[in-house]
Amino acid sequence: MPEERDINVNLRTNLIEINPDKQEATFQNLDKPEEKTVTEFSMLHVTPPMATPETLSKNKDITNETGFVNVKRDTLQHVRYPNIFAIGDCSSSPNSKTAAAAAAQSEIIYENMRSVMQGKPLTYAYDGYASCPLVTGYDKCILAEFDYDLNPLETFPFSQDREMYSMYFLKKNVMPPIYWHLMMNGYWNGPATFRKVMHFEFNDKKQKIHT
Ligand SMILES: Cc1cc2nc3c(=O)[nH]c(=O)nc-3n(C[C@H](O)[C@H](O)[C@H](O)COP(=O)(O)OP(=O)(O)OC[C@H]3O[C@@H](n4cnc5c(N)ncnc54)[C@H](O)[C@@H]3O)c2cc1C
């Protein structure tokens, strides 16, 4: 698809200079820092380097070597401190960092924190659910939903692996109220319940703990 739209994707590179007059961007190859490439652009979309807040990353006792709060990938409980859990982008759990992932994690953490406070074993496990609504045009979107192993975890009972207007409608009109009114007020744990109903799945996958 990038080729179809004349999009040049630069991976493993660092943007080091922009010349707006000539519309040129200079990238440094992360694997061979001495190698620099100058690319012409009509529109430039840059992903900045990402890291956890300094408050966390400088606290080596609770974070891993890359600055993320060091938790077990299933229970989201800290590897050493049972009274610490991490949710969202700061967590070391190897899922794609999305708000959708944080929503799905919230129920797991809520239930597991309750178990810790009641002195019971943890029973809820996060499967790595993440969701990326990829808007590919003015009226189309691919709703990618997947787990830790990048297996599809699609909410709807049909294949979501293509551009669809329905997904665009969902992204534009349904997700914002879900985010602002439900998730921000603690009423949205992701679409797992809808997925199970629509796929006639009634086993509770959250019960499997591997770590
Ligand atoms: C351009 C863009 C588009 C995205 N699109 C989507 C999408 O379509 N769907 C999706 O699901 N996800 C999307 N995401 C990802 C989503 O925004 C994040 O995964 C989500 O916001 C993570 O939530 P969080 O609460 O973990 O972290 P954050 O939203 O980063 O919240 C952390 C908060 O902590 C605060 N903070 C930092 N340090 C301190 C401190 N010392 N004391 C107090 N507060 C502090 C910060 O100011 C911030 O408010 C997108 C992200 C970007 C950048």
Side-chain angles (χ1 to χ4, degrees):
M1 190 180 286
E3 298 79 26
E4 271 171 35
R5 297 187 180 197
D6 196 19
I7 295 171
N8 179 19
V9 181
N10 293 292
L11 301 174
R12 301 277 317 144
T13 55
N14 200 13
L15 175 66
I16 53 172
E17 194 180 337
I18 298 178
N19 185 330
D21 298 329
K22 290 189 181 171
Q23 292 199 300
E24 282 177 353
T26 307
F27 293 93
Q28 181 179 37
N29 186 327
L30 283 181
D31 301 314
K32 296 180 199 159
E34 67 287 352
E35 195 177 298
K36 291 174 188 148
T37 316
V38 180
T39 311
E40 277 184 33
F41 65 88
S42 55
M43 187 189 136
L44 186 62
H45 176 89
V46 187
T47 307
M50 284 171 267
T52 52
E54 207 189 341
T55 321
L56 280 179
S57 57
K58 72 182 180 192
N59 192 337
K60 306 284 182 219
D61 204 25
I62 62 164
T63 53
N64 64 15
E65 62 285 356
T66 52
F68 290 81
V69 182
N70 210 354
V71 295
K72 297 172 197 168
R73 57 180 262 159
D74 286 9
T75 59
L76 305 174
Q77 185 184 40
H78 196 272
V79 293
R80 284 191 304 280
Y81 302 108
N83 60 338
I84 295 181
F85 288 80
I87 186 170
D89 286 10
C90 70
S91 157
S92 70
S93 54
N95 58 282
S96 296
K97 301 304 185 208
T98 64
Q105 292 168 353
S106 63
E107 184 189 15
I108 312 302
I109 289 185
Y110 172 78
E111 294 294 347
N112 285 343
M113 282 174 74
R114 267 165 46 111
S115 295
V116 168
M117 288 189 276
Q118 292 168 1
K120 294 179 181 168
L122 308 191
T123 51
Y124 276 70
Y126 172 54
D127 54 15
Y129 174 82
S131 162
C132 300
L134 307 166
V135 177
T136 52
Y138 288 106
D139 59 358
K140 51 196 172 184
C141 172
I142 300 172
L143 182 62
E145 296 177 285
F146 45 89
D147 65 11
Y148 271 136
D149 302 319
L150 304 183
N151 296 316
L153 260 186
E154 297 178 328
T155 300
F156 297 98
F158 49 79
S159 180
Q160 296 171 204
D161 65 353
R162 68 193 81 114
E163 297 170 312
M164 282 183 264
Y165 175 74
S166 54
M167 297 303 150
Y168 176 81
F169 183 89
L170 193 77
K171 161 76 178 164
K172 180 170 176 280
N173 299 301
V174 181
M175 287 184 187
I178 288 179
Y179 178 77
W180 289 111
H181 299 302
L182 298 182
M183 188 173 162
M184 287 295 104
N185 289 308
Y187 299 121
W188 179 250
N189 302 319
T193 306
F194 294 102
R195 183 177 66 242
K196 285 177 186 168
V197 170
M198 283 196 254
H199 290 259
F200 300 105
E201 277 176 17
F202 299 104
N203 58 326
D204 193 350
K205 289 185 180 166
K206 288 195 294 292
Q207 302 301 322
K208 288 186 197 156
I209 295 196
H210 305 291
T211 50

